[in-house]
């Protein structure tokens, strides 16, 4: 065991152009997990890489496994050979200076997973006979998680986003704000750490935006039918997207001054950048959906007007009316606010600050 540890300690810690002798560690299939080494490079935060004089110019290097060996990436025993390595958040000392997302941006290339690490993490997917991650207990929208994990492993990113979009209208939203019950349902998590499903999901859609795979899908034919969607939160936007792709003429009505509902004013910037929301809304607009803001149905717009002007009416309303706190001592004190009231005013304040037209709504 001492000799094995010495070999591990002397193994190359990262991929370099300098030639080194390849480690020749051999692991027993019966080794307990406690005997495995940590294959993550402490400097890069990714699995350690290695190239020899023959393959150093190949596209894909060899990757260090948990038994200490360096081998090409493979999926058959990926959940055994590789360690769960979620993409890290931005440095806390950096995050406290802004209101940006926790997730690394394009400027944080050293934090973001590269194609090799994405493939390693996707290789950990066991391709289960019964993928609980995709069932009602793991994913409310029944994402085909094993399928797009395998497409990421194969490097087929365009096919991966098409597969992801087949069940999920807005993976850039769910990949960031969903609490990831899929990872709690992951079978690999029964004996080890689950697959980094959430990271892989938003890496697919981020890569798709970067590479131009997500473009406006203009319906080839129109039905001549019109639909009014009331509410522009995640439900309203998803309904509008589906109805528009069916060929109907869709108009979305939102009572606030910006489109997005909960996505815009209920979820803080640190979880979901509003630029990300605007990007998707602009795409829907290019696809033919019309948006009307400051439209409070029942107040400044009569619901009968919608009924007479549209063939169908789809109500996608949020629950912004809070439950009373009358029985809670001190609930009437100054500084006690309901969540949506606080989040909405705070988010508006941030957006107006950025745009230079801040007008405080606080007393």
């Amino acid at each position: 065991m001492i000799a094995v540890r010495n070999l591990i300690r002397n193994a190359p810690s990262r991929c370099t152009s300098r030639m080194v002798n390849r480690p020749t560690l051999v692991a027993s299939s019966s080794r307990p997990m406690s005997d495995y080494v940590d294959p993550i490079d402490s400097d890069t935060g990714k699995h350690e890489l290695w190239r020899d004089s023959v393959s150093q110019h190949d596209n894909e290097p060899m990757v260090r496994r948990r038994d200490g060996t360096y081998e090409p990436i493979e999926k058959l025993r990926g959940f055994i050979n590789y360690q769960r390595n979620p993409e890290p958040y931005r440095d806390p000392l950096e995050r406290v200076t802004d209101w940006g997302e926790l997730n690394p941006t394009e400027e944080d290339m050293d934090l973001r997973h590269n194609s090799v690490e994405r493939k390693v993490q996707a290789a950990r997917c066991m391709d289960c006979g019964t993928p609980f991650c995709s069932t009602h207990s793991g994913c409310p929208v029944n994402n085909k998680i094993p399928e797009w994990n395998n497409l990421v492993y194969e490097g087929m990113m365009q096919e991966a986003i098409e597969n992801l979009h087949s069940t999920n209208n807005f993976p850039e939203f769910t990949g960031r704000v969903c609490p990831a019950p899929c990872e709690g349902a992951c079978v690999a998590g029964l004996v080890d750490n689950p697959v980094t499903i959430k990271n892989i999901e938003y890496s697919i859609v981020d890569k798709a935006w970067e590479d131009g795979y997500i473009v406006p899908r203009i319906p080839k034919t129109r039905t001549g039918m019109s639909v009014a969607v009331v509410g522009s939160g995640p439900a309203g936007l998803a309904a509008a997207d589906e109805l528009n792709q069916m060929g109907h003429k869709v108009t979305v009505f939102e009572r606030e001054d910006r489109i997005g509902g909960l996505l815009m004013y209920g979820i803080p910037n640190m979880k979901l950048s509003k630029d990300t929301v605007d990007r998707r809304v602009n795409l829907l607009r290019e696809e033919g959906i019309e948006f009307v803001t400051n439209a409070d149905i029942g107040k400044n717009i009569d619901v009968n007007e919608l009924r007479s002007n549209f063939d169908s009416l789809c109500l996608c309303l949020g629950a912004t009316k809070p439950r009373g706190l009358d029985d809670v001592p001190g609930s009437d004190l100054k500084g006690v606010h309901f969540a949506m009231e606080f989040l909405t005013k705070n988010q508006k304040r941030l957006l107006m600050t950025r745009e230079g037209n801040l007008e405080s709504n606080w007393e």
Side-chain angles (χ1 to χ4, degrees):
M1 193 63 195
I2 295 176
V4 171
R5 288 174 179 168
N6 287 335
L7 282 173
I8 295 171
R9 188 178 297 112
N10 293 328
S13 60
R14 62 186 64 85
C15 180
T16 66
S17 59
R18 182 169 57 89
M19 305 308 156
V20 294
N21 292 323
R22 178 179 173 186
T24 56
L25 299 180
V26 179
S28 167
S29 60
S30 62
R31 279 179 67 178
M33 290 298 293
S34 58
D35 285 349
Y36 280 71
V37 301
D38 184 356
I40 306 299
D41 188 326
S42 59
D43 292 335
T44 65
K46 304 174 179 64
H47 276 73
E48 294 183 12
L49 309 179
W50 181 85
R51 287 187 173 99
D52 58 25
S53 58
V54 176
S55 62
Q56 64 171 334
H57 298 298
D58 290 352
N59 290 329
E60 188 172 278
M62 295 186 181
V63 175
R64 192 180 194 188
R65 299 181 175 183
R66 288 201 276 197
D67 64 2
T69 61
Y70 289 75
E71 298 291 343
I73 305 172
E74 60 90 23
K75 197 172 188 295
L76 184 62
R77 290 167 54 87
F79 63 98
I80 296 175
N81 291 329
Y82 310 120
Q83 184 167 305
R84 173 185 166 92
N85 183 32
E87 194 172 80
Y89 290 141
R90 293 165 55 214
D91 190 309
L93 294 179
E94 176 188 339
R95 301 200 313 254
V96 297
T97 63
D98 58 40
W99 300 97
E101 275 192 18
L102 296 169
N103 299 303
T105 63
E106 294 181 4
E107 289 74 28
D108 304 305
M109 295 303 296
D110 56 328
L111 295 179
R112 298 180 72 180
H113 282 175
N114 53 30
S115 59
V116 175
E117 189 64 26
R118 279 198 303 267
K119 181 172 182 177
V120 169
Q121 294 305 307
R124 297 189 68 247
C125 181
M126 301 167 64
D127 196 15
C128 308
T130 303
F132 294 104
C133 59
S134 298
T135 66
H136 66 280
S137 62
C139 182
V141 297
N142 299 120
N143 280 335
K144 304 171 185 177
I145 295 170
E147 293 184 17
W148 44 255
N149 274 343
N150 188 64
L151 290 169
V152 171
Y153 172 77
E154 297 292 346
M156 304 169 67
M157 299 302 288
Q158 185 169 2
E159 290 78 3
I161 188 59
E162 292 173 358
N163 186 292
L164 184 51
H165 268 152
S166 71
T167 57
N168 191 337
N169 299 77
F170 315 121
E172 67 267 45
F173 302 158
T174 56
R176 284 170 167 79
V177 304
C178 179
C182 52
E183 294 189 9
C186 178
V187 176
L190 295 175
V191 294
D192 193 9
N193 292 317
V195 177
T196 57
I197 300 172
K198 184 174 181 177
N199 284 169
I200 295 173
E201 179 180 357
Y202 76 69
S203 72
I204 292 174
V205 67
D206 284 357
K207 182 68 173 173
W209 281 107
E210 292 172 8
D211 292 351
Y213 297 148
I214 300 179
V215 296
R217 300 169 300 153
I218 311 298
K220 295 181 179 179
T221 59
R222 289 291 182 181
T223 63
M225 306 291 285
S226 61
V227 182
V229 176
V230 180
S232 70
L237 292 180
D241 185 26
E242 293 293 322
L243 291 166
N244 183 60
Q245 290 303 314
M246 293 176 184
H248 307 312
K249 181 60 179 176
V250 181
T251 303
V252 178
F253 294 86
E254 169 58 47
R255 66 181 172 185
E256 289 290 352
D257 60 337
R258 299 172 189 265
I259 298 298
L262 184 74
L263 299 169
M264 179 60 67
Y265 286 137
I267 300 174
N269 271 8
M270 61 93 176
K271 290 291 289 183
L272 179 64
S273 168
K274 304 315 160 192
D275 291 336
T276 301
V277 180
D278 287 337
R279 180 178 61 183
R280 178 62 74 163
V281 171
N282 290 334
L283 180 75
L284 296 175
R285 188 177 282 113
E286 291 181 50
E287 292 176 342
I289 299 175
E290 292 185 6
F291 294 97
V292 180
T293 56
N294 298 306
D296 198 343
I297 310 302
K299 291 187 177 181
N300 60 359
I301 294 183
D302 192 334
V303 67
N304 292 318
E305 182 181 338
L306 296 183
R307 288 174 174 169
S308 61
N309 293 334
F310 294 89
D311 296 299
S312 186
L313 182 60
C314 181
L315 300 180
C316 300
L317 310 178
T320 55
K321 185 177 181 180
R323 184 171 59 183
L325 297 175
D326 298 335
D327 298 333
V328 179
S331 60
D332 58 338
L333 295 177
K334 185 176 182 180
V336 177
H337 302 279
F338 291 106
M340 283 304 299
E341 171 195 349
F342 172 80
L343 290 169
T344 299
K345 290 188 176 182
N346 186 64
Q347 189 58 49
K348 285 185 176 182
R349 185 184 183 93
L350 289 174
L351 290 170
M352 287 187 288
T353 299
R354 187 177 69 174
E355 296 169 357
N357 56 357
L358 173 63
E359 294 179 7
S360 177
N361 289 318
W362 296 102
E363 296 179 357

